[in-house]
Amino acid sequence: MTVKHLFTQEAHGVSPEPAEQLELVMGGGAKGDQHEHRKTRALVLMSLFDIEQLGLNPGDLREQITLDLPELMSLEDGTTVKIGEVDIRIDGNCDPCVHIGELLGVQDREAFRESLVGHRGKLGTVLNSGTIAIGDKAEVA
């Protein structure tokens, strides 16, 4: 399992910017991302499998980390995902909102939101600071 894509989003409503690497901050998320200091939703991890099943592109769902980890959505809260030397605790499912459909220009935003339930990614908190990069090995600890 590896990191496939990385993104930051500087402000609400702007498109995520692809990155080759991210500096992750203990207790939060990705440095420079609008969610960096939040206690909840500091970081969103997505499975490339779910993105492809939904017919979307990496970054469309505003995740910071895209992994080739098909079983991501089945991980229990409290599970640790290790990426390189950084540990990320899974805090729960990211609940989809209608706003994400608006950002993507979807006609029926409520139907789109419903299609994301159980596939919107996992919320995570960084347990130890460090830098991760595309291609880094990821493992469930």
Side-chain angles (χ1 to χ4, degrees):
M1 299 176 288
T2 59
V3 173
K4 297 308 236 180
H5 302 275
L6 297 168
F7 300 93
T8 58
Q9 189 177 359
E10 291 182 5
H12 185 71
V14 299
S15 296
E17 289 293 322
E20 290 295 317
Q21 62 182 26
L22 292 180
E23 182 180 342
L24 300 182
V25 180
M26 185 171 72
K31 190 166 187 146
D33 187 84
Q34 68 167 339
H35 301 293
E36 173 185 351
H37 301 293
R38 291 179 67 174
K39 293 297 178 198
T40 59
R41 207 227 176 275
L43 200 60
V44 175
L45 293 84
M46 280 294 305
S47 167
L48 190 58
F49 174 80
D50 284 309
I51 291 170
E52 290 171 349
Q53 291 292 98
L54 293 163
L56 299 172
N57 296 308
D60 281 352
L61 296 177
R62 299 338 197 228
E63 76 273 10
Q64 287 81 21
I65 302 171
T66 309
L67 302 167
D68 63 347
L69 179 61
E71 67 273 14
L72 176 69
M73 291 307 297
S74 68
L75 298 180
E76 293 186 25
D77 296 1
T79 300
T80 300
V81 175
K82 186 174 190 68
I83 301 175
E85 297 302 315
V86 179
D87 294 322
I88 300 168
R89 181 188 64 233
I90 299 297
D91 295 327
N93 289 349
C94 183
D95 294 324
C97 62
V98 240
H99 183 64
I100 197 89
E102 179 184 339
L103 292 170
L104 294 174
V106 174
Q107 292 289 349
D108 188 344
R109 295 175 188 144
E110 179 56 27
F112 181 68
R113 184 198 69 76
E114 289 177 16
S115 76
L116 297 178
V117 173
H119 302 283
R120 174 63 178 86
K122 290 285 188 175
L123 300 173
T125 299
V126 179
L127 299 178
N128 60 299
S129 297
T131 301
I132 64 171
I134 292 176
D136 279 356
K137 182 181 175 185
E139 61 184 335
V140 177

